[in-house]
Structures are given as C-alpha cells and as structure tokens.
Amino acid sequence: KRVSSFRDDLARLTPEVPYLIVDTSENRIYLMFGKKLLHEAVCSSGSYVLLKASDNQQWLFSTPRGIFRVLGKHHAPVWRRPDWAFVEEGLPIPAPYAAERYEAGVLGEFGIDFGNGYLIHGTLYQRQLGLPVTHGCIRLGDEDLRIVYRNLQLGSKIFIY
C-alpha cells in the first residue's frame, strides 16, 4: 500500500507539461514531458570560484539548486554585465546603466530566465560544455538551447540539483 501511495504521489507531482531537470554534478540536462525523456544534453554550470574585490565585496559563482519556474523567454538576449564582471577583468566598475555594461551576442540566440539574474543560455565557449565553468547560469550548445527554448513555456518547472 505504501509503495502504491508513493507512486500516486509521484504521478500527481510530475508536471503534465514539458519541464527541465539540470544535474549540476554531471553537467547534464534532461528535457522531460511527464515520464518521457524528450532530449538529453551536456551543459555547463557554476564553477564555485570565489572572487574577492578590494572593497571586501565577494561573489561565489554557484548555480542555485531547487525548483524554479521559467519567468521569461528572450530572443537575442543582451547581457547587462554585473559588477563582478569588471572586478574579474581588473577594470573599474562603471555606473549602473553605463553603455559599457551591455554586451550583445555573448549569451547565444536565446535566454530562459529562472530568477535572480540566472539564465539558461548559449555560449561562445562550446568546448567548455560539460565543465563547471559558469558564474551560475546554465550554458547549453546552440541546438540544445533551441530545443529547450521551443519546449519550455512560461511557468514551466526547472529542477536543479
């Protein structure tokens, strides 16, 4: 009876629309629809590098874990470089909305927003896919990103562990 009850609970909790599972330890994604695997791919996730600035600010580049939802979908997203991007390069930090903060083309063809500044997006560094090298976002190869973007809708669940 207990096993049957657990199966019922699992069936009830499994989304009935496409959803994404991100395994950060193996750097793999699984695009699912119910219990059916639609697509599997390699990804890159957070590096866990700690960056310290001279003013005692610091950033730990990890991918958040938990259950998230697709909050936005963007075609040709433009990256607004945060303070850490300038600190990392040894550059002075510009004003919050200075033109040098904005970079087109570095996030790939699509961006999928899952909150707190984190995206699933493309990469200029295809050779690094499969490695924990990001500042926290999930990076995918071009075709894998297209497939995930086409299948996930606003509100779709993203499970990251």
Side-chain angles (χ1 to χ4, degrees):
K1 277 186 165 180
R2 268 183 87 189
V3 171
S4 179
S5 175
F6 286 138
R7 280 193 189 118
D8 291 345
D9 288 346
L10 181 60
R12 189 173 30 77
L13 295 171
T14 302
E16 295 180 8
V17 296
Y19 60 96
L20 190 69
I21 298 171
V22 180
D23 176 349
T24 61
S25 62
E26 296 293 325
N27 280 302
R28 307 228 23 114
I29 59 120
Y30 305 92
L31 180 63
M32 306 291 294
F33 189 167
K35 294 178 185 173
K36 181 180 178 190
L37 177 65
L38 298 177
H39 187 72
E40 178 180 351
V42 67
C43 69
S44 287
S45 60
S47 66
Y48 280 91
V49 167
L50 179 64
L51 175 64
K52 294 182 179 183
S54 58
D55 62 358
N56 290 327
Q57 274 192 299
Q58 61 182 28
W59 299 267
L60 178 63
F61 299 128
S62 62
T63 298
R65 288 173 168 73
I67 301 172
F68 302 89
R69 290 193 179 268
V70 173
L71 302 178
K73 293 174 66 174
H74 312 284
H75 183 263
V78 174
W79 184 38
R80 183 185 170 278
R81 295 176 67 192
D83 290 354
W84 57 256
F86 296 94
V87 171
E88 193 172 50
E89 293 180 15
L91 299 172
I93 298 172
Y97 296 99
E100 61 263 37
R101 284 205 183 257
Y102 298 92
E103 270 189 67
V106 297
L107 299 178
E109 188 177 3
F110 303 107
I112 301 167
D113 178 359
F114 63 95
N116 294 323
Y118 294 101
L119 299 173
I120 299 167
H121 62 78
T123 181
L124 297 174
Y125 309 103
Q126 301 280 320
R127 290 179 145 187
Q128 293 181 344
L129 288 169
L131 301 173
V133 295
T134 79
H135 296 96
C137 289
I138 304 296
R139 293 182 193 165
L140 294 175
D142 296 339
E143 185 56 29
D144 298 320
L145 180 60
R146 279 186 207 99
I147 291 167
V148 170
Y149 186 86
R150 279 195 311 256
N151 281 277
L152 294 184
Q153 304 303 315
L154 289 177
S156 291
K157 287 188 175 180
I158 301 170
F159 300 89
I160 303 176
Y161 67 95

